[in-house]
Amino acid sequence: MKLPVSYKEFVKQPIIATLFIVLCGISALYIDVRSTFQDQAKSQNVRIEKVEGRLDAVQNALRKSDSLSAVSTTKLQVLTDLKMIPK
């Protein structure tokens, strides 16, 4: 594999050659970090979907609980109004 910067060019202009090598390194790190963030985003989306499923289940349980509480309160009030249960 041939390097893009030859030794002769490096000796003539070491600062420019070093900056070129640093730029290549930074570019490689940027691509690596970006792919890592994309992987993390995918795993977080899966986790969010699981949490949303649990949230839906808890909301349904809460609705059932509220409905049962309302029914029980209504029955108790009706029985109290009919004086079948003393106050």
Side-chain angles (χ1 to χ4, degrees):
M1 181 174 146
K2 184 180 176 199
L3 295 175
V5 178
S6 69
Y7 181 75
K8 289 181 183 180
E9 292 173 1
F10 186 78
V11 171
K12 287 180 186 176
Q13 298 177 339
I15 294 175
I16 294 173
T18 305
L19 290 176
F20 177 74
I21 293 170
V22 169
L23 180 64
C24 291
I26 290 173
S27 299
L29 290 174
Y30 173 76
I31 291 170
D32 181 51
V33 167
R34 194 174 83 188
S35 66
T36 301
F37 284 145
Q38 288 173 349
D39 293 341
Q40 286 177 353
K42 289 177 186 176
S43 67
Q44 292 299 325
N45 285 338
V46 169
R47 194 164 176 224
I48 288 170
E49 288 174 6
K50 288 180 182 179
V51 170
E52 286 176 346
R54 291 179 188 164
L55 178 64
D56 290 340
V58 169
Q59 285 177 336
N60 288 335
L62 180 63
R63 283 189 197 112
K64 287 179 184 178
S65 175
D66 285 345
S67 297
L68 291 174
S69 177
V71 168
S72 298
T73 303
T74 304
K75 284 183 180 181
L76 183 63
Q77 184 63 39
V78 168
L79 290 173
T80 304
D81 290 345
L82 293 174
K83 298 190 184 202
M84 296 183 94
I85 297 176
K87 287 187 179 182

